[in-house]
Amino acid sequence: MGVCLKRIGTVGTSARPDLPLAVVVGAGGIGRVVARRLGQQYRLLLADRDQAHLDRVAEALRADGYDLTTVRCDVTVPEDTIALADAVARNGPMRALAHVVGLSPSMGSFADIMRVDLVGAALVERALLPLVTEGTAAVFVSSIAAHQRQFAADVVKLIDAPLHPDMIDNAAAALGEPATPVMAYMLSKYGLNRLCRARATEWGLRGARIVSLSPGLIASPMGAMEYQKNPIKWSILKATPLRREGTMHEVASALAFLLSDDASFINGTDILVDGGVTGAFAASEI
């Protein structure tokens, strides 16, 4: 019996052109774990602003058999997000988007954190929206910090327009209290969750979904650093009903579910992956 050579793929590679494309923005601790989880079912396009780091992560993933393309992208630079969209268009269609980029309170100033955690997410969403098709799903990783307080209406109005050129300065002025990195982290994640809710209609009209995912205390390199610089995390850990941190794999599992067809009616909402701590804090206030 003859062999149909047209069906034989390229020997010596892990190329899987038959798989759908998942875009993972952010190659840090959780981003790497998410990429490994999604890479079992998708071709990967991995983006990060640090080219050297991105190259190291990509080399390890390819050595482990993942079909992976990379693109350097600083999410705070509009031109970079346009280049990301171009790369997605070349490798698509895009079935899944996992946005796993963020600065924690000890990693930057008020402006730095607002720019990366909120403006950057909005730039990525804007750039990739034209590539969204029937069945595309997106998860933007947020934080339980988004649930820790409410903000005045005038502040909320400002962050609901994250791409306004003066949003960060105006929001800092409108707070009526010091514009600290901790405040930026809470405000930017609050704004990110609102962004996903606000964009759900536009995505839904395309047959697609967008949600946010708010992890609690997660055993990650960034999380470990925060224990040293933000002691309040110890009290949050003590209040967590499961009495432990979550793992990066647990976040990746929840994210993979939200991107899957099993979550096909979940849109425009936030999913807490926090061991119950947000609910425990809310119950203590009743």
PDB file of all heavy atoms in Angstrom, residues 25 73-85 97 99 114-130 140 162-164 192 195 199 203:
ATOM      1  N   VAL A  25      -0.094  36.609  26.669  1.00  0.00           N
ATOM      2  CA  VAL A  25       0.629  37.871  26.808  1.00  0.00           C
ATOM      3  C   VAL A  25       1.183  37.932  28.227  1.00  0.00           C
ATOM      4  O   VAL A  25       0.439  38.079  29.192  1.00  0.00           O
ATOM      5  CB  VAL A  25      -0.281  39.079  26.523  1.00  0.00           C
ATOM      6  CG1 VAL A  25       0.534  40.368  26.556  1.00  0.00           C
ATOM      7  CG2 VAL A  25      -0.968  38.923  25.176  1.00  0.00           C
ATOM      8  N   CYS A  73       6.678  42.343  23.006  1.00  0.00           N
ATOM      9  CA  CYS A  73       5.598  43.322  23.109  1.00  0.00           C
ATOM     10  C   CYS A  73       5.600  43.953  24.486  1.00  0.00           C
ATOM     11  O   CYS A  73       5.464  43.261  25.502  1.00  0.00           O
ATOM     12  CB  CYS A  73       4.248  42.657  22.847  1.00  0.00           C
ATOM     13  SG  CYS A  73       2.828  43.776  23.037  1.00  0.00           S
ATOM     14  N   ASP A  74       5.763  45.266  24.529  1.00  0.00           N
ATOM     15  CA  ASP A  74       5.532  46.050  25.738  1.00  0.00           C
ATOM     16  C   ASP A  74       4.096  46.547  25.637  1.00  0.00           C
ATOM     17  O   ASP A  74       3.772  47.375  24.776  1.00  0.00           O
ATOM     18  CB  ASP A  74       6.516  47.225  25.793  1.00  0.00           C
ATOM     19  CG  ASP A  74       6.352  48.068  27.053  1.00  0.00           C
ATOM     20  OD1 ASP A  74       5.256  48.070  27.650  1.00  0.00           O
ATOM     21  OD2 ASP A  74       7.329  48.752  27.432  1.00  0.00           O
ATOM     22  N   VAL A  75       3.234  46.051  26.509  1.00  0.00           N
ATOM     23  CA  VAL A  75       1.802  46.339  26.370  1.00  0.00           C
ATOM     24  C   VAL A  75       1.467  47.807  26.563  1.00  0.00           C
ATOM     25  O   VAL A  75       0.364  48.239  26.219  1.00  0.00           O
ATOM     26  CB  VAL A  75       0.958  45.479  27.334  1.00  0.00           C
ATOM     27  CG1 VAL A  75       1.142  44.000  27.037  1.00  0.00           C
ATOM     28  CG2 VAL A  75       1.281  45.796  28.801  1.00  0.00           C
ATOM     29  N   THR A  76       2.388  48.591  27.106  1.00  0.00           N
ATOM     30  CA  THR A  76       2.130  50.016  27.313  1.00  0.00           C
ATOM     31  C   THR A  76       2.454  50.850  26.075  1.00  0.00           C
ATOM     32  O   THR A  76       2.211  52.060  26.067  1.00  0.00           O
ATOM     33  CB  THR A  76       2.940  50.560  28.497  1.00  0.00           C
ATOM     34  OG1 THR A  76       4.337  50.562  28.174  1.00  0.00           O
ATOM     35  CG2 THR A  76       2.710  49.725  29.755  1.00  0.00           C
ATOM     36  N   VAL A  77       3.000  50.216  25.048  1.00  0.00           N
ATOM     37  CA  VAL A  77       3.394  50.918  23.815  1.00  0.00           C
ATOM     38  C   VAL A  77       2.410  50.560  22.712  1.00  0.00           C
ATOM     39  O   VAL A  77       2.376  49.396  22.263  1.00  0.00           O
ATOM     40  CB  VAL A  77       4.827  50.541  23.399  1.00  0.00           C
ATOM     41  CG1 VAL A  77       5.212  51.244  22.109  1.00  0.00           C
ATOM     42  CG2 VAL A  77       5.810  50.877  24.515  1.00  0.00           C
ATOM     43  N   PRO A  78       1.587  51.495  22.251  1.00  0.00           N
ATOM     44  CA  PRO A  78       0.585  51.164  21.227  1.00  0.00           C
ATOM     45  C   PRO A  78       1.162  50.481  20.003  1.00  0.00           C
ATOM     46  O   PRO A  78       0.559  49.547  19.455  1.00  0.00           O
ATOM     47  CB  PRO A  78      -0.022  52.529  20.887  1.00  0.00           C
ATOM     48  CG  PRO A  78       0.145  53.341  22.139  1.00  0.00           C
ATOM     49  CD  PRO A  78       1.470  52.897  22.709  1.00  0.00           C
ATOM     50  N   GLU A  79       2.338  50.937  19.556  1.00  0.00           N
ATOM     51  CA  GLU A  79       2.937  50.331  18.362  1.00  0.00           C
ATOM     52  C   GLU A  79       3.276  48.856  18.594  1.00  0.00           C
ATOM     53  O   GLU A  79       3.190  48.037  17.662  1.00  0.00           O
ATOM     54  CB  GLU A  79       4.197  51.101  17.959  1.00  0.00           C
ATOM     55  CG  GLU A  79       3.944  52.511  17.465  1.00  0.00           C
ATOM     56  CD  GLU A  79       3.696  53.517  18.599  1.00  0.00           C
ATOM     57  OE1 GLU A  79       3.900  53.149  19.787  1.00  0.00           O
ATOM     58  OE2 GLU A  79       3.291  54.650  18.284  1.00  0.00           O
ATOM     59  N   ASP A  80       3.669  48.522  19.821  1.00  0.00           N
ATOM     60  CA  ASP A  80       3.974  47.124  20.136  1.00  0.00           C
ATOM     61  C   ASP A  80       2.715  46.266  20.101  1.00  0.00           C
ATOM     62  O   ASP A  80       2.740  45.111  19.651  1.00  0.00           O
ATOM     63  CB  ASP A  80       4.639  47.015  21.508  1.00  0.00           C
ATOM     64  CG  ASP A  80       6.121  47.330  21.476  1.00  0.00           C
ATOM     65  OD1 ASP A  80       6.593  47.892  20.472  1.00  0.00           O
ATOM     66  OD2 ASP A  80       6.804  47.032  22.467  1.00  0.00           O
ATOM     67  N   THR A  81       1.603  46.802  20.598  1.00  0.00           N
ATOM     68  CA  THR A  81       0.366  46.017  20.574  1.00  0.00           C
ATOM     69  C   THR A  81      -0.139  45.850  19.146  1.00  0.00           C
ATOM     70  O   THR A  81      -0.751  44.824  18.823  1.00  0.00           O
ATOM     71  CB  THR A  81      -0.712  46.647  21.472  1.00  0.00           C
ATOM     72  OG1 THR A  81      -1.060  47.953  20.997  1.00  0.00           O
ATOM     73  CG2 THR A  81      -0.233  46.740  22.911  1.00  0.00           C
ATOM     74  N   ILE A  82       0.122  46.822  18.296  1.00  0.00           N
ATOM     75  CA  ILE A  82      -0.227  46.676  16.875  1.00  0.00           C
ATOM     76  C   ILE A  82       0.636  45.584  16.236  1.00  0.00           C
ATOM     77  O   ILE A  82       0.150  44.756  15.449  1.00  0.00           O
ATOM     78  CB  ILE A  82      -0.060  48.014  16.139  1.00  0.00           C
ATOM     79  CG1 ILE A  82      -1.097  49.022  16.640  1.00  0.00           C
ATOM     80  CG2 ILE A  82      -0.181  47.821  14.634  1.00  0.00           C
ATOM     81  CD1 ILE A  82      -0.883  50.435  16.140  1.00  0.00           C
ATOM     82  N   ALA A  83       1.925  45.560  16.595  1.00  0.00           N
ATOM     83  CA  ALA A  83       2.806  44.504  16.093  1.00  0.00           C
ATOM     84  C   ALA A  83       2.358  43.134  16.601  1.00  0.00           C
ATOM     85  O   ALA A  83       2.442  42.129  15.878  1.00  0.00           O
ATOM     86  CB  ALA A  83       4.250  44.784  16.510  1.00  0.00           C
ATOM     87  N   LEU A  84       1.879  43.091  17.836  1.00  0.00           N
ATOM     88  CA  LEU A  84       1.331  41.846  18.373  1.00  0.00           C
ATOM     89  C   LEU A  84       0.141  41.393  17.537  1.00  0.00           C
ATOM     90  O   LEU A  84       0.036  40.215  17.158  1.00  0.00           O
ATOM     91  CB  LEU A  84       0.912  42.047  19.826  1.00  0.00           C
ATOM     92  CG  LEU A  84       0.110  40.917  20.475  1.00  0.00           C
ATOM     93  CD1 LEU A  84       0.937  39.645  20.563  1.00  0.00           C
ATOM     94  CD2 LEU A  84      -0.385  41.333  21.870  1.00  0.00           C
ATOM     95  N   ALA A  85      -0.757  42.322  17.245  1.00  0.00           N
ATOM     96  CA  ALA A  85      -1.925  41.984  16.429  1.00  0.00           C
ATOM     97  C   ALA A  85      -1.507  41.483  15.044  1.00  0.00           C
ATOM     98  O   ALA A  85      -2.098  40.533  14.509  1.00  0.00           O
ATOM     99  CB  ALA A  85      -2.841  43.198  16.302  1.00  0.00           C
ATOM    100  N   LEU A  97      -7.195  33.937  24.183  1.00  0.00           N
ATOM    101  CA  LEU A  97      -6.276  34.993  24.624  1.00  0.00           C
ATOM    102  C   LEU A  97      -6.177  34.958  26.133  1.00  0.00           C
ATOM    103  O   LEU A  97      -7.192  35.043  26.833  1.00  0.00           O
ATOM    104  CB  LEU A  97      -6.787  36.366  24.175  1.00  0.00           C
ATOM    105  CG  LEU A  97      -6.117  37.592  24.818  1.00  0.00           C
ATOM    106  CD1 LEU A  97      -4.633  37.651  24.472  1.00  0.00           C
ATOM    107  CD2 LEU A  97      -6.823  38.881  24.378  1.00  0.00           C
ATOM    108  N   HIS A  99      -4.307  37.079  28.966  1.00  0.00           N
ATOM    109  CA  HIS A  99      -3.516  38.270  29.258  1.00  0.00           C
ATOM    110  C   HIS A  99      -3.030  38.156  30.697  1.00  0.00           C
ATOM    111  O   HIS A  99      -3.810  38.271  31.644  1.00  0.00           O
ATOM    112  CB  HIS A  99      -4.368  39.525  29.069  1.00  0.00           C
ATOM    113  CG  HIS A  99      -3.591  40.798  29.187  1.00  0.00           C
ATOM    114  ND1 HIS A  99      -3.368  41.424  30.393  1.00  0.00           N
ATOM    115  CD2 HIS A  99      -2.976  41.565  28.249  1.00  0.00           C
ATOM    116  CE1 HIS A  99      -2.656  42.519  30.181  1.00  0.00           C
ATOM    117  NE2 HIS A  99      -2.400  42.623  28.900  1.00  0.00           N
ATOM    118  N   MET A 114      -0.539  51.719  37.050  1.00  0.00           N
ATOM    119  CA  MET A 114      -1.736  52.038  36.276  1.00  0.00           C
ATOM    120  C   MET A 114      -1.484  51.841  34.788  1.00  0.00           C
ATOM    121  O   MET A 114      -2.342  51.335  34.052  1.00  0.00           O
ATOM    122  CB  MET A 114      -2.155  53.484  36.551  1.00  0.00           C
ATOM    123  CG  MET A 114      -2.664  53.748  37.961  1.00  0.00           C
ATOM    124  SD  MET A 114      -4.238  52.936  38.318  1.00  0.00           S
ATOM    125  CE  MET A 114      -5.349  53.839  37.239  1.00  0.00           C
ATOM    126  N   ARG A 115      -0.298  52.206  34.345  1.00  0.00           N
ATOM    127  CA  ARG A 115       0.019  52.124  32.913  1.00  0.00           C
ATOM    128  C   ARG A 115       0.087  50.666  32.449  1.00  0.00           C
ATOM    129  O   ARG A 115      -0.422  50.324  31.376  1.00  0.00           O
ATOM    130  CB  ARG A 115       1.337  52.843  32.641  1.00  0.00           C
ATOM    131  CG  ARG A 115       1.652  53.040  31.166  1.00  0.00           C
ATOM    132  CD  ARG A 115       2.897  53.879  30.983  1.00  0.00           C
ATOM    133  NE  ARG A 115       2.744  55.209  31.554  1.00  0.00           N
ATOM    134  CZ  ARG A 115       3.383  55.667  32.632  1.00  0.00           C
ATOM    135  NH1 ARG A 115       4.244  54.871  33.281  1.00  0.00           N
ATOM    136  NH2 ARG A 115       3.182  56.878  33.068  1.00  0.00           N
ATOM    137  N   VAL A 116       0.711  49.810  33.249  1.00  0.00           N
ATOM    138  CA  VAL A 116       0.855  48.410  32.849  1.00  0.00           C
ATOM    139  C   VAL A 116      -0.442  47.630  33.080  1.00  0.00           C
ATOM    140  O   VAL A 116      -0.941  46.932  32.190  1.00  0.00           O
ATOM    141  CB  VAL A 116       2.019  47.741  33.612  1.00  0.00           C
ATOM    142  CG1 VAL A 116       2.042  46.232  33.352  1.00  0.00           C
ATOM    143  CG2 VAL A 116       3.339  48.370  33.202  1.00  0.00           C
ATOM    144  N   ASP A 117      -1.001  47.760  34.291  1.00  0.00           N
ATOM    145  CA  ASP A 117      -2.093  46.869  34.691  1.00  0.00           C
ATOM    146  C   ASP A 117      -3.446  47.249  34.089  1.00  0.00           C
ATOM    147  O   ASP A 117      -4.312  46.379  33.951  1.00  0.00           O
ATOM    148  CB  ASP A 117      -2.201  46.836  36.217  1.00  0.00           C
ATOM    149  CG  ASP A 117      -1.008  46.153  36.873  1.00  0.00           C
ATOM    150  OD1 ASP A 117      -0.008  45.914  36.178  1.00  0.00           O
ATOM    151  OD2 ASP A 117      -1.081  45.860  38.082  1.00  0.00           O
ATOM    152  N   LEU A 118      -3.638  48.503  33.751  1.00  0.00           N
ATOM    153  CA  LEU A 118      -4.930  48.910  33.184  1.00  0.00           C
ATOM    154  C   LEU A 118      -4.785  49.406  31.747  1.00  0.00           C
ATOM    155  O   LEU A 118      -5.428  48.870  30.838  1.00  0.00           O
ATOM    156  CB  LEU A 118      -5.582  49.988  34.055  1.00  0.00           C
ATOM    157  CG  LEU A 118      -6.939  50.510  33.554  1.00  0.00           C
ATOM    158  CD1 LEU A 118      -7.919  49.373  33.326  1.00  0.00           C
ATOM    159  CD2 LEU A 118      -7.503  51.549  34.517  1.00  0.00           C
ATOM    160  N   VAL A 119      -3.931  50.408  31.532  1.00  0.00           N
ATOM    161  CA  VAL A 119      -3.785  50.947  30.176  1.00  0.00           C
ATOM    162  C   VAL A 119      -3.266  49.867  29.222  1.00  0.00           C
ATOM    163  O   VAL A 119      -3.772  49.712  28.107  1.00  0.00           O
ATOM    164  CB  VAL A 119      -2.853  52.176  30.168  1.00  0.00           C
ATOM    165  CG1 VAL A 119      -2.665  52.694  28.743  1.00  0.00           C
ATOM    166  CG2 VAL A 119      -3.411  53.276  31.068  1.00  0.00           C
ATOM    167  N   GLY A 120      -2.280  49.100  29.669  1.00  0.00           N
ATOM    168  CA  GLY A 120      -1.726  48.050  28.812  1.00  0.00           C
ATOM    169  C   GLY A 120      -2.777  47.022  28.418  1.00  0.00           C
ATOM    170  O   GLY A 120      -2.838  46.589  27.258  1.00  0.00           O
ATOM    171  N   ALA A 121      -3.596  46.623  29.382  1.00  0.00           N
ATOM    172  CA  ALA A 121      -4.659  45.657  29.073  1.00  0.00           C
ATOM    173  C   ALA A 121      -5.637  46.228  28.060  1.00  0.00           C
ATOM    174  O   ALA A 121      -6.083  45.530  27.133  1.00  0.00           O
ATOM    175  CB  ALA A 121      -5.383  45.266  30.359  1.00  0.00           C
ATOM    176  N   ALA A 122      -5.981  47.508  28.223  1.00  0.00           N
ATOM    177  CA  ALA A 122      -6.907  48.145  27.283  1.00  0.00           C
ATOM    178  C   ALA A 122      -6.303  48.238  25.881  1.00  0.00           C
ATOM    179  O   ALA A 122      -7.011  48.062  24.877  1.00  0.00           O
ATOM    180  CB  ALA A 122      -7.287  49.524  27.796  1.00  0.00           C
ATOM    181  N   LEU A 123      -5.003  48.508  25.800  1.00  0.00           N
ATOM    182  CA  LEU A 123      -4.343  48.576  24.497  1.00  0.00           C
ATOM    183  C   LEU A 123      -4.345  47.212  23.802  1.00  0.00           C
ATOM    184  O   LEU A 123      -4.561  47.118  22.588  1.00  0.00           O
ATOM    185  CB  LEU A 123      -2.916  49.090  24.651  1.00  0.00           C
ATOM    186  CG  LEU A 123      -2.757  50.583  24.945  1.00  0.00           C
ATOM    187  CD1 LEU A 123      -1.322  50.907  25.317  1.00  0.00           C
ATOM    188  CD2 LEU A 123      -3.195  51.419  23.730  1.00  0.00           C
ATOM    189  N   VAL A 124      -4.093  46.157  24.565  1.00  0.00           N
ATOM    190  CA  VAL A 124      -4.101  44.813  23.981  1.00  0.00           C
ATOM    191  C   VAL A 124      -5.507  44.458  23.497  1.00  0.00           C
ATOM    192  O   VAL A 124      -5.685  43.941  22.384  1.00  0.00           O
ATOM    193  CB  VAL A 124      -3.593  43.779  25.006  1.00  0.00           C
ATOM    194  CG1 VAL A 124      -3.872  42.358  24.524  1.00  0.00           C
ATOM    195  CG2 VAL A 124      -2.099  43.968  25.248  1.00  0.00           C
ATOM    196  N   GLU A 125      -6.506  44.753  24.332  1.00  0.00           N
ATOM    197  CA  GLU A 125      -7.886  44.445  23.926  1.00  0.00           C
ATOM    198  C   GLU A 125      -8.250  45.194  22.658  1.00  0.00           C
ATOM    199  O   GLU A 125      -8.850  44.627  21.733  1.00  0.00           O
ATOM    200  CB  GLU A 125      -8.846  44.797  25.067  1.00  0.00           C
ATOM    201  CG  GLU A 125     -10.271  44.303  24.870  1.00  0.00           C
ATOM    202  CD  GLU A 125     -11.137  45.226  24.032  1.00  0.00           C
ATOM    203  OE1 GLU A 125     -10.841  46.449  23.987  1.00  0.00           O
ATOM    204  OE2 GLU A 125     -12.112  44.749  23.411  1.00  0.00           O
ATOM    205  N   ARG A 126      -7.897  46.461  22.575  1.00  0.00           N
ATOM    206  CA  ARG A 126      -8.219  47.262  21.400  1.00  0.00           C
ATOM    207  C   ARG A 126      -7.514  46.725  20.160  1.00  0.00           C
ATOM    208  O   ARG A 126      -8.121  46.625  19.079  1.00  0.00           O
ATOM    209  CB  ARG A 126      -7.827  48.721  21.623  1.00  0.00           C
ATOM    210  CG  ARG A 126      -8.180  49.625  20.445  1.00  0.00           C
ATOM    211  CD  ARG A 126      -7.854  51.074  20.710  1.00  0.00           C
ATOM    212  NE  ARG A 126      -6.414  51.341  20.725  1.00  0.00           N
ATOM    213  CZ  ARG A 126      -5.879  52.553  20.857  1.00  0.00           C
ATOM    214  NH1 ARG A 126      -6.667  53.602  21.021  1.00  0.00           N
ATOM    215  NH2 ARG A 126      -4.569  52.720  20.857  1.00  0.00           N
ATOM    216  N   ALA A 127      -6.249  46.351  20.296  1.00  0.00           N
ATOM    217  CA  ALA A 127      -5.481  45.891  19.137  1.00  0.00           C
ATOM    218  C   ALA A 127      -5.974  44.548  18.612  1.00  0.00           C
ATOM    219  O   ALA A 127      -5.973  44.305  17.399  1.00  0.00           O
ATOM    220  CB  ALA A 127      -3.999  45.800  19.493  1.00  0.00           C
ATOM    221  N   LEU A 128      -6.397  43.658  19.517  1.00  0.00           N
ATOM    222  CA  LEU A 128      -6.760  42.308  19.105  1.00  0.00           C
ATOM    223  C   LEU A 128      -8.240  42.149  18.779  1.00  0.00           C
ATOM    224  O   LEU A 128      -8.626  41.142  18.169  1.00  0.00           O
ATOM    225  CB  LEU A 128      -6.358  41.302  20.195  1.00  0.00           C
ATOM    226  CG  LEU A 128      -4.853  41.172  20.449  1.00  0.00           C
ATOM    227  CD1 LEU A 128      -4.578  40.067  21.452  1.00  0.00           C
ATOM    228  CD2 LEU A 128      -4.083  40.925  19.161  1.00  0.00           C
ATOM    229  N   LEU A 129      -9.064  43.119  19.142  1.00  0.00           N
ATOM    230  CA  LEU A 129     -10.500  43.000  18.878  1.00  0.00           C
ATOM    231  C   LEU A 129     -10.818  42.723  17.410  1.00  0.00           C
ATOM    232  O   LEU A 129     -11.681  41.883  17.115  1.00  0.00           O
ATOM    233  CB  LEU A 129     -11.235  44.251  19.355  1.00  0.00           C
ATOM    234  CG  LEU A 129     -12.746  44.252  19.118  1.00  0.00           C
ATOM    235  CD1 LEU A 129     -13.424  43.123  19.908  1.00  0.00           C
ATOM    236  CD2 LEU A 129     -13.349  45.607  19.490  1.00  0.00           C
ATOM    237  N   PRO A 130     -10.159  43.371  16.451  1.00  0.00           N
ATOM    238  CA  PRO A 130     -10.492  43.081  15.044  1.00  0.00           C
ATOM    239  C   PRO A 130     -10.232  41.633  14.632  1.00  0.00           C
ATOM    240  O   PRO A 130     -10.744  41.183  13.603  1.00  0.00           O
ATOM    241  CB  PRO A 130      -9.589  44.052  14.271  1.00  0.00           C
ATOM    242  CG  PRO A 130      -9.312  45.166  15.228  1.00  0.00           C
ATOM    243  CD  PRO A 130      -9.218  44.504  16.559  1.00  0.00           C
ATOM    244  N   PHE A 140      -8.501  37.971  31.111  1.00  0.00           N
ATOM    245  CA  PHE A 140      -7.542  38.951  31.598  1.00  0.00           C
ATOM    246  C   PHE A 140      -7.337  38.711  33.088  1.00  0.00           C
ATOM    247  O   PHE A 140      -8.291  38.791  33.868  1.00  0.00           O
ATOM    248  CB  PHE A 140      -8.056  40.370  31.346  1.00  0.00           C
ATOM    249  CG  PHE A 140      -7.920  40.820  29.917  1.00  0.00           C
ATOM    250  CD1 PHE A 140      -8.750  40.300  28.929  1.00  0.00           C
ATOM    251  CD2 PHE A 140      -6.954  41.744  29.548  1.00  0.00           C
ATOM    252  CE1 PHE A 140      -8.626  40.697  27.607  1.00  0.00           C
ATOM    253  CE2 PHE A 140      -6.819  42.148  28.226  1.00  0.00           C
ATOM    254  CZ  PHE A 140      -7.649  41.624  27.251  1.00  0.00           C
ATOM    255  N   PRO A 162      -9.791  54.175  30.006  1.00  0.00           N
ATOM    256  CA  PRO A 162      -8.366  53.936  30.308  1.00  0.00           C
ATOM    257  C   PRO A 162      -7.396  54.448  29.265  1.00  0.00           C
ATOM    258  O   PRO A 162      -6.215  54.637  29.579  1.00  0.00           O
ATOM    259  CB  PRO A 162      -8.287  52.411  30.440  1.00  0.00           C
ATOM    260  CG  PRO A 162      -9.447  51.902  29.645  1.00  0.00           C
ATOM    261  CD  PRO A 162     -10.526  52.923  29.818  1.00  0.00           C
ATOM    262  N   LEU A 163      -7.861  54.686  28.049  1.00  0.00           N
ATOM    263  CA  LEU A 163      -6.952  55.144  26.995  1.00  0.00           C
ATOM    264  C   LEU A 163      -6.962  56.654  26.824  1.00  0.00           C
ATOM    265  O   LEU A 163      -6.290  57.178  25.924  1.00  0.00           O
ATOM    266  CB  LEU A 163      -7.298  54.450  25.673  1.00  0.00           C
ATOM    267  CG  LEU A 163      -7.151  52.921  25.703  1.00  0.00           C
ATOM    268  CD1 LEU A 163      -7.453  52.330  24.338  1.00  0.00           C
ATOM    269  CD2 LEU A 163      -5.762  52.513  26.170  1.00  0.00           C
ATOM    270  N   HIS A 164      -7.675  57.365  27.684  1.00  0.00           N
ATOM    271  CA  HIS A 164      -7.594  58.827  27.656  1.00  0.00           C
ATOM    272  C   HIS A 164      -6.178  59.229  28.069  1.00  0.00           C
ATOM    273  O   HIS A 164      -5.640  58.720  29.064  1.00  0.00           O
ATOM    274  CB  HIS A 164      -8.616  59.436  28.611  1.00  0.00           C
ATOM    275  CG  HIS A 164      -8.719  60.931  28.506  1.00  0.00           C
ATOM    276  ND1 HIS A 164      -7.766  61.785  29.037  1.00  0.00           N
ATOM    277  CD2 HIS A 164      -9.661  61.735  27.933  1.00  0.00           C
ATOM    278  CE1 HIS A 164      -8.111  63.034  28.794  1.00  0.00           C
ATOM    279  NE2 HIS A 164      -9.251  63.036  28.127  1.00  0.00           N
ATOM    280  N   LEU A 192      -9.698  47.093  35.485  1.00  0.00           N
ATOM    281  CA  LEU A 192      -9.571  45.980  34.551  1.00  0.00           C
ATOM    282  C   LEU A 192     -10.837  45.122  34.546  1.00  0.00           C
ATOM    283  O   LEU A 192     -11.334  44.727  33.485  1.00  0.00           O
ATOM    284  CB  LEU A 192      -8.355  45.130  34.913  1.00  0.00           C
ATOM    285  CG  LEU A 192      -8.139  43.856  34.092  1.00  0.00           C
ATOM    286  CD1 LEU A 192      -8.028  44.163  32.609  1.00  0.00           C
ATOM    287  CD2 LEU A 192      -6.902  43.107  34.586  1.00  0.00           C
ATOM    288  N   LEU A 195     -13.422  46.957  32.720  1.00  0.00           N
ATOM    289  CA  LEU A 195     -13.135  46.929  31.287  1.00  0.00           C
ATOM    290  C   LEU A 195     -13.693  45.660  30.648  1.00  0.00           C
ATOM    291  O   LEU A 195     -14.326  45.707  29.585  1.00  0.00           O
ATOM    292  CB  LEU A 195     -11.621  47.018  31.061  1.00  0.00           C
ATOM    293  CG  LEU A 195     -11.140  46.810  29.620  1.00  0.00           C
ATOM    294  CD1 LEU A 195     -11.536  47.988  28.746  1.00  0.00           C
ATOM    295  CD2 LEU A 195      -9.626  46.604  29.588  1.00  0.00           C
ATOM    296  N   ARG A 199     -16.633  45.546  27.785  1.00  0.00           N
ATOM    297  CA  ARG A 199     -16.338  45.087  26.424  1.00  0.00           C
ATOM    298  C   ARG A 199     -17.082  43.803  26.055  1.00  0.00           C
ATOM    299  O   ARG A 199     -17.016  43.353  24.912  1.00  0.00           O
ATOM    300  CB  ARG A 199     -14.829  44.858  26.277  1.00  0.00           C
ATOM    301  CG  ARG A 199     -13.973  46.077  26.570  1.00  0.00           C
ATOM    302  CD  ARG A 199     -14.350  47.251  25.691  1.00  0.00           C
ATOM    303  NE  ARG A 199     -14.064  46.974  24.294  1.00  0.00           N
ATOM    304  CZ  ARG A 199     -14.715  47.525  23.280  1.00  0.00           C
ATOM    305  NH1 ARG A 199     -15.717  48.352  23.493  1.00  0.00           N
ATOM    306  NH2 ARG A 199     -14.376  47.223  22.032  1.00  0.00           N
ATOM    307  N   TRP A 203     -17.687  42.015  22.257  1.00  0.00           N
ATOM    308  CA  TRP A 203     -17.185  40.669  21.982  1.00  0.00           C
ATOM    309  C   TRP A 203     -18.347  39.717  21.695  1.00  0.00           C
ATOM    310  O   TRP A 203     -18.269  38.889  20.787  1.00  0.00           O
ATOM    311  CB  TRP A 203     -16.350  40.164  23.167  1.00  0.00           C
ATOM    312  CG  TRP A 203     -14.967  40.743  23.218  1.00  0.00           C
ATOM    313  CD1 TRP A 203     -14.641  42.058  23.340  1.00  0.00           C
ATOM    314  CD2 TRP A 203     -13.740  40.031  23.132  1.00  0.00           C
ATOM    315  NE1 TRP A 203     -13.276  42.214  23.340  1.00  0.00           N
ATOM    316  CE2 TRP A 203     -12.695  40.993  23.225  1.00  0.00           C
ATOM    317  CE3 TRP A 203     -13.414  38.686  23.003  1.00  0.00           C
ATOM    318  CZ2 TRP A 203     -11.354  40.629  23.170  1.00  0.00           C
ATOM    319  CZ3 TRP A 203     -12.073  38.318  22.968  1.00  0.00           C
ATOM    320  CH2 TRP A 203     -11.049  39.289  23.043  1.00  0.00           C
TER     321      TRP A 203
END
